[in-house]
Amino acid sequence: MNYTLHQLQIFQKIVELRSITKASEELNLTQPAVSIQLKNFQDQFPIPLTEVTGRQLYVTDFGQEIAKAADKILKEVYAINYKTKSFQGKLSGRLKIASASTGKYVMPYFLSSFISENPEVELAINVTNKSKVVSSLEKNEVDFALVSVMPKKLKLNSVTLMPNSLYLLGSRDFNISKRTKKRDLFEKMPLIYREQGSATRMAMESFIARRRYSVQKKIELMSNEAVKQAVLAGLGFSIMPLIGIKNELKNNDLQIIPVKGLPMHTNWYLVWLKSKKLSPVALAYLEYIKEHKEELIAKSFSWVKDYDDV
């Protein structure tokens, strides 16, 4: 057999994402290039690795076994590369982080300088909702996770990164008079929710339950960005984290609507399993965060204080 490491990487990504298109996007390759490499890899085995039914790609049982073997091979290759670089006095390795979706507005600012100072470090970030972040922690698939609500069922260590505040947002075109009842905003106007499993949705539902509002019109969207665009378009209102709407507030495209009980304040936490043996890269990053987080906050998030009294 003459399969290459490149083919193993491509096949592993296809298995992970169950899609040639998604694999090509993540690997920064064209779809035809990925398809050709998959075919060349398949040609070396007498048993099918994948099957296509309709437009859906499925990985066979044999393909799953080959994917597991590919994963082991690639990890050994990475280990050889990291050991070589460590003997050269360079910090190297893979840093794997899972982030709640709104955390995409936070996490890059706590990584940029560290990665710039340590160019041999490989970074992998999975941005998803809270329930999937917790799952990746449970399965020990990541070094750290960024969350705004601490998972209760896991034994975790944590570092508090920065505050997270949630406000009621509406489009700039919505006129709110002094006569407008805030209850009516929740009970008579469309409310835009994140999907089930989102920490932002849970916070929103908790606020509504405490105020005993009876929501009649509900729209559900799958990402914070989608919710923001819907609010901008005037489809409805939503309770959203301040951290993701800096430009929209600056340009007066969105307005914060004062409501008793809001904003809600939580924190962003960097968490990891207490039982996890952190790699040298993960330990170095942890020390970096502890030492530099205040200056990183001052540099990139000082604008948040402008809305403390809203």
Side-chain angles (χ1 to χ4, degrees):
M1 289 189 179
N2 297 309
Y3 51 77
T4 65
L5 290 176
H6 186 52
Q7 290 172 345
L8 291 177
Q9 290 170 327
I10 288 175
F11 182 65
Q12 184 189 49
K13 188 60 64 176
I14 291 172
V15 172
E16 176 189 340
L17 299 176
R18 296 293 195 276
S19 167
I20 291 175
T21 300
K22 292 179 180 178
S24 65
E25 291 172 354
E26 190 152 327
L27 293 168
N28 293 316
L29 298 170
T30 65
Q31 187 172 332
V34 171
S35 297
I36 290 170
Q37 290 301 324
L38 176 60
K39 182 182 182 302
N40 291 342
F41 189 56
Q42 173 64 79
D43 287 346
Q44 299 179 70
F45 300 96
I47 303 172
L49 300 170
T50 61
E51 296 174 344
V52 177
T53 302
R55 300 181 65 181
Q56 181 65 46
L57 183 143
Y58 296 92
V59 181
T60 66
D61 290 343
F62 178 68
Q64 293 285 1
E65 292 301 314
I66 296 301
K68 290 178 184 177
D71 184 61
K72 291 179 182 178
I73 293 170
L74 291 171
K75 284 180 178 177
E76 288 299 321
V77 172
Y78 289 139
I80 291 171
N81 292 339
Y82 300 151
K83 287 175 183 177
T84 301
K85 290 169 183 174
S86 67
F87 269 86
Q88 294 175 317
K90 300 175 182 178
L91 181 65
S92 64
R94 300 187 80 191
L95 183 62
K96 294 179 286 185
I97 298 174
S99 171
S101 57
T102 311
K104 68 184 178 184
Y105 302 111
V106 176
M107 201 67 232
Y109 297 95
F110 288 91
L111 283 163
S112 179
S113 296
F114 178 78
I115 296 300
S116 295
E117 293 172 11
N118 300 283
E120 303 295 338
V121 171
E122 295 182 23
L123 177 63
I125 304 179
N126 181 27
V127 179
T128 182
N129 65 30
K130 181 201 169 189
S131 61
K132 292 181 180 179
V133 168
V134 173
S135 176
S136 66
L137 276 171
E138 273 186 308
K139 296 176 182 178
N140 197 28
E141 295 174 342
V142 295
D143 299 305
F144 301 106
L146 181 69
V147 296
S148 59
V149 177
M150 292 287 285
K152 295 181 179 180
K153 61 180 180 178
L154 299 179
K155 295 180 179 179
L156 301 170
N157 290 319
S158 66
V159 171
T160 303
L161 288 189
M162 60 177 288
N164 180 44
S165 300
L166 295 95
Y167 292 77
L168 180 66
L169 276 298
S171 76
R172 65 181 177 186
D173 297 325
F174 186 81
N175 294 319
I176 300 177
S177 69
K178 292 182 179 179
R179 295 180 181 180
T180 302
K181 294 181 180 179
K182 297 304 190 291
R183 176 178 289 272
D184 288 347
L185 296 178
F186 290 88
E187 296 189 339
K188 296 183 179 181
M189 304 296 290
L191 281 184
I192 304 172
Y193 287 72
R194 283 286 308 280
E195 78 283 5
Q196 292 286 350
S198 160
T200 300
R201 181 188 179 116
M202 287 186 281
M204 186 169 170
E205 289 179 330
S206 175
F207 173 79
I208 289 170
R210 288 197 307 271
R211 306 298 294 182
R212 298 183 180 179
Y213 293 145
S214 179
V215 177
Q216 302 299 319
K217 301 177 182 179
K218 183 185 294 186
I219 299 171
E220 182 176 300
L221 297 173
M222 297 299 291
S223 72
N224 194 71
E225 195 64 28
V227 171
K228 180 169 67 176
Q229 293 302 322
V231 175
L232 283 166
L235 281 176
F237 300 86
S238 188
I239 293 176
M240 300 174 63
L242 181 69
I243 204 71
I245 54 174
K246 176 183 177 181
N247 292 333
E248 289 74 18
L249 290 174
K250 182 180 178 181
N251 296 332
N252 294 316
D253 293 325
L254 288 177
Q255 59 174 312
I256 292 175
I257 302 170
V259 174
K260 186 177 181 180
L262 294 176
M264 289 183 285
H265 298 291
T266 60
N267 287 297
W268 286 107
Y269 302 96
L270 191 70
V271 301
W272 66 99
L273 291 173
K274 284 187 175 181
S275 59
K276 186 172 186 63
K277 184 178 180 181
L278 294 177
S279 68
V281 169
L283 286 171
Y285 180 64
L286 190 58
E287 288 303 311
Y288 171 83
I289 286 297
K290 290 178 179 178
E291 182 178 349
H292 296 286
K293 73 171 184 175
E294 295 302 330
E295 64 186 77
L296 293 172
I297 291 170
K299 178 182 178 182
S300 300
F301 299 103
S302 58
W303 64 271
V304 171
K305 295 179 181 178
D306 297 339
Y307 298 92
D308 286 348
D309 298 325
V310 176

